[in-house]
Amino acid sequence: MKQKFDIITSTCVPLPLENVDTDQIIPARFLKATTRDEKFFGDNLFRDWRYDKDGQPRADFVLNDPTYGGEILVAGKNFGSGSSREHAAWAIAGYGFRVVISSFFADIHKNNELNNFVLPVVVSEDFLAELFASIKADPKMQVRVDVPNQTVTNLATGREERFEINGYKKYCLMNALDDIDFLLENKDKIEAWEERH
Amino acid sequence: MNTLFDKIWDAHVVQNVEDGPTQLYIDRLYCHEVTSPQAFEGMRSRGLQCLRPDHIFCMPDHNTPTHDQDKPIEDPVSKKQVDTLAKNAADFGLAHFGMMNKKNGIIHVVGPERGLSLPGMTIVCGDSHTSTHGAMGAVAFGIGTSEVEMVLASQCILQQKPKSMRININGKLGKGVTAKDVALYLMSKLTTSGATGYFVEYAGDVVKNLTMEGRLTLCNLSIEMGARGGFIAPDETTFAYIKGREYAPKGEDWDKALAYWKTLKSGEDAVFDKELSFDGADIEPMVTYGTNPGMGMGINEHIPSLDTVPESSRVSYIKSLDYMGFAPGDQLLGKKVDYVFLGACTNGRIEDFRAFASIVKGRKKADGLVAWLVPGSWMVDEQIREEGLDKVLEEAGFAIRQPGCSACLAMNDDKIPAGKLSVSTSNRNFEGRQGPGARTVLASPLVAAAAAVTGVITDPRNLI
């Protein structure tokens, strides 16, 4: 959903697993929708880790643990690998996450998050390990993500890191603009390219 | 610099956005039914038409059943998605190869075999295995649905230019070692994120000597190392494959195209951001033992012990082996196999069926084992019958199904039941990929065939 980004301060949901693939984020059988219904995808986020085969919540999965909540998902390295399905980003957004913090993201999924106004924040391995420890010690601890200044802060320890985002995408996020708006404004350049080829 | 990737990329730059991505012109957009409906919906809500409809080709493949395709799809939700693609193609004036159309099949099999994917092109599709088309000497990569909408609307995409990597595979492959094994070997060395942020050019004698089918398999799996895409410089093998195909240039256009394609290679002085070299002789028939494609090993090896795994990765590692029902130190040889799946955009081509048939010829399918043999397209199906492979397979107790993605991701009825072990020629062994609770071992068509006739994981070299 298009929404403007500025500073987000929130508690976190920890998922300290590596190589979380988009098949886990949203299994293929939920990809048959023909509309972009974020609530439907959000309800099925991490479906097979979250519910058993009878549809009952699995008590040991973090989304079913009332201790944790918030707008920030913190995940192990190589988050979003595998399938290009944008439904994974819709599910994350539909569930209510606005930021995903990890030490490494898969390329296609990272773009998909950005195109859906979910901010992927890449931090160092150290920062991530400390953040998982902070959340474990105090599930109510908060993280501040400052988009204008491109900083992420563990408010339990005060540790801060700068994260990368290109100026164009930052402008889009802060002003709730998407790429199609931009491309349509540049139709003359597209036609000029075609003339040359 | 001066890499083939640079040449193709630079030739398609419409503009470089200041402190931002590149606006890249796209020669070919493929749409399948799963990742396109929301893009078309977006086009309608913005009141847009496609800028270049003749650059866009649509076909259903993920939901299509692999039997009775002449009848309506039973699952109403799948049917709606497939019907929606047909309607969207009609409404927006796009080519559409529907079910039962002889041009239908898995989009990544059809594109190359119909001559739609050509050297020097930029090719995208809302599907991570779009990297397959890189085998034609094209820059091809998977995109999300928002990006599909961008291309529908503007024939362009906004992308950060990836870094370049060359992977050289030198020497020769041993007996029973295929392109699939090369790819699984690379993933086991690089992990599923080892090439993230890169576009890979494959080179070296092993790659040069691969057939087009083998090259398509290798490039298909680029994404499983995290790469944005992977490709191979076009050469005589490529040109011979393309010549005469339905949508390939003809006559004077062919001569002109060929002259250009012959210039498509990295310069002698090309500098890559990263360059890796491997020896083909080190590669054995491979199997995966875990729940990502990077967890692979030679078929005779043992699953790595826990102390070889970095501490931060152990929770994930144990979770993965628990799911598979394997333990560190286990060998996969001799493990009972319940299902065999031959097919997918990875290994659903004629050469894969030839390889499978070469092992099962004169043998019988193992008792109790279920085998699904799914051609990648109707064209592959036709070739199988022309070459008489259907007879060989039938005599050994195997049936050929109708084309589609099938059990690779189990969006149709072809689901591996929970707990069952499947040896699959597809591309992903993620938890639940082939059906909730299904356990997948990724392997080549030769390894799959050896399992299919013995009922256990078997080194195919013993059966060649």
Side-chain angles (χ1 to χ4, degrees), chain A residues 32, chain B residues 62-68 72-76 78 339 372 401 405-407 409-417 434-435:
Chain A
K32 298 186 187 187
Chain B
H62 284 56
N63 283 274
T64 48
T66 53
H67 58 86
D68 299 309
I73 301 178
E74 283 172 23
D75 174 355
S78 284
Y339 280 74
W372 289 333
R401 300 172 78 89
C405 299
S406 181
L409 85 171
M411 277 191 77
N412 65 0
D413 296 335
D414 304 343
K415 292 179 174 52
I416 310 291
Q434 295 198 276

Side-chain angles (χ1 to χ4, degrees), chain B residues 14 43 74 87 91 101 129 134 155 296 311 401 414 427 455:
Chain B
V14 173
M43 293 284 285
E74 283 172 23
K87 181 177 184 329
D91 288 357
N101 180 327
H129 293 111
Q155 207 55 41
E311 203 160 330
R401 300 172 78 89
D414 304 343
N427 39 61

Side-chain angles (χ1 to χ4, degrees), chain A residues 18-88:
Chain A
E18 297 181 347
N19 304 314
V20 172
D21 59 76
T22 54
D23 273 76
Q24 307 316 312
I25 299 174
I26 186 92
R29 62 188 186 279
F30 298 105
L31 308 188
K32 298 186 187 187
T34 50
T35 58
R36 193 183 286 222
D37 178 354
E38 286 192 358
K39 184 177 181 308
F40 168 78
F41 296 116
D43 288 347
N44 292 297
L45 174 66
F46 296 118
R47 175 74 198 200
D48 292 339
W49 285 348
R50 194 168 152 196
Y51 299 102
D52 66 18
K53 63 177 174 10
D54 302 317
Q56 296 303 309
R58 295 179 192 264
D60 61 351
F61 187 63
V62 68
L63 293 191
N64 297 321
D65 185 343
T67 316
Y68 301 102
E71 295 181 310
I72 301 176
L73 177 66
V74 184
K77 73 177 174 195
N78 198 24
F79 185 77
S81 54
S83 158
S84 62
R85 61 191 65 172
E86 192 162 318
H87 312 66

